[in-house]
Every structure is written in C-alpha cells, then in structure tokens.
Amino acid sequence: MYRWEIVQAVTEQRVFGIVRAAAPEAALTAAEAVLDAGLRAVEVALTTPRALSAVARLTEQRPDALVGAGTVLDAAAARAAVEAGARFLVSPGLHPDVIRAGHRYGVPVFPGAATPTEMVRALEEGADAVKIFPASGMSPSWLRDVRAALPQVPAIPTGGVTVDDAPEWIAAGAVACGMGSALTSGGPDAAGERVAALLAGLARAR
C-alpha cells in the first residue's frame, strides 16, 4: 500500500486503538481485544517494554490489521518499528527525523502538535496527519475554531478522548481519534462493549 492508502485505511473507521502495557504479552492481549471487537487499526506504544516484539507478533498473527507504533521519538526507533512490521508511526511531538525515516520506507507518520503553529510546521515537515495531543487539554470546539483557519490540517485528537466525546471530535472536523485506556481498560469483554458502542456512535456522527 502507498502511504496515502495506509492513512485512508487507518482513518476509515474514524478511530484507532492505542495499547500501552507493562509487558508485550499484555499489549498483545489488549490489541487483540479491540481488533476482535471490530477495530481495524491499533498502535502499540514503544513505552511498552519490548514493544517491537508485540508489533511483530501482531503483524504476523493479524495480517489484515493495520498495526502501528507509537511514542516514536527518533529515526532509529522509526526504522526499528518499520522493520518489526509497523504500518504507521505516531509521535507525541514533532520530530522531523521520524517523518523522514518513515517516508523513506513508505510509512505514514502522525507527529504530535498542540498549537496552530506546531500544526503548520508539522505539515511543512511532511506529516501525513497531525496528532492533536493531549486532547484532554482542548475541546472539540477548540478544534473547530482552529480548523476554521487551518482546514487543511488532518487532525487526530489523542490523549483523553472518550467513547462519549469521540463523535464530537469527529463532528468538529477530526479525521479520526486515537484512543487508549478509554477502550482497553477492564479486560477484553469490556473493551469489546466499548468498541461496539464507539463505532455505533461514530457512525451516527458521520
């Protein structure tokens, strides 16, 4: 797939899961729970110990899933994630070397930004979409105001997005939301119920 096709696939459902765990086995279990519940894309944060082993196992066991790597802070981590099978890369901040490394291997990159200035710079550096982080410090109305001036920004609010307010972020113009513990906490059954409720809410928001 080309980069733009991966971006389209990752954002098609308007949400992707984020897994951050104390061990790769726990990350694998959490990722499988949200994928089993119907999500097509999931990010494994590199703050998880031996996270790349979880990425590699997921890409092998779930070839139809879009597995990404998050908290990618430098070019070395970006390359290692791609070699492990990551289909997209996400950063909490703007690291141009991560964008360049991802693009070198045909992988889209979603760097983090918290201000309009950072969003514009992210686009200038080649970002495929911009992670609005942390979303908990902002609001859908804030994003709506920003997009009135910067409608070209493909925004992905992440960090504090909930099942209840995700549809509001989409209605405000976000292309997708990244969601972690709001989906994965409580075990596979609870995660499945939340994913089902979320996808139904997002379908109504379109």
Side-chain angles (χ1 to χ4, degrees):
M1 297 172 74
Y2 292 109
R3 274 187 8 235
W4 68 268
E5 291 177 304
I6 297 172
V7 175
Q8 187 175 52
V10 170
T11 60
E12 183 179 15
Q13 286 185 304
R14 303 298 192 185
V15 63
F16 59 85
I18 300 171
V19 172
R20 195 182 304 273
E25 294 78 12
L28 194 63
T29 298
E32 288 179 332
V34 295
L35 292 172
D36 287 341
L39 288 190
R40 301 190 195 112
V42 64
E43 163 199 333
V44 178
L46 296 191
T47 51
T48 299
R50 302 188 305 284
L52 294 182
S53 66
V55 171
R57 288 168 63 186
L58 272 174
T59 56
E60 180 180 351
Q61 297 171 14
R62 302 290 185 121
D64 294 332
L66 291 155
V67 180
T71 323
V72 181
L73 302 180
D74 53 41
R79 178 171 178 174
V82 172
E83 289 177 344
R87 307 285 294 281
F88 62 98
L89 306 176
V90 186
S91 296
L94 177 57
H95 306 283
D97 57 334
V98 171
I99 298 174
R100 287 192 292 270
H103 288 182
R104 186 175 297 125
Y105 299 105
V107 172
V109 182
F110 310 151
T115 68
T117 299
E118 292 174 352
M119 293 178 204
V120 171
R121 186 172 169 226
L123 294 183
E124 291 172 345
E125 294 289 352
D128 298 280
V130 180
K131 171 181 175 175
I132 308 302
F133 180 80
S136 59
M138 302 158 191
S139 68
S141 62
W142 175 87
L143 178 61
R144 186 178 289 108
D145 290 344
V146 169
R147 292 197 73 259
L150 299 173
Q152 71 273 31
V153 176
I156 302 178
T158 305
V161 177
T162 68
V163 172
D164 292 331
D165 66 18
E168 297 176 28
W169 285 104
I170 298 303
V175 297
C177 294
M179 296 179 63
S181 60
L183 288 183
T184 61
S185 62
D189 291 341
E193 293 175 2
R194 291 194 197 98
V195 170
L198 175 62
L199 293 179
L202 291 176
R204 290 192 295 271
R206 292 189 181 187

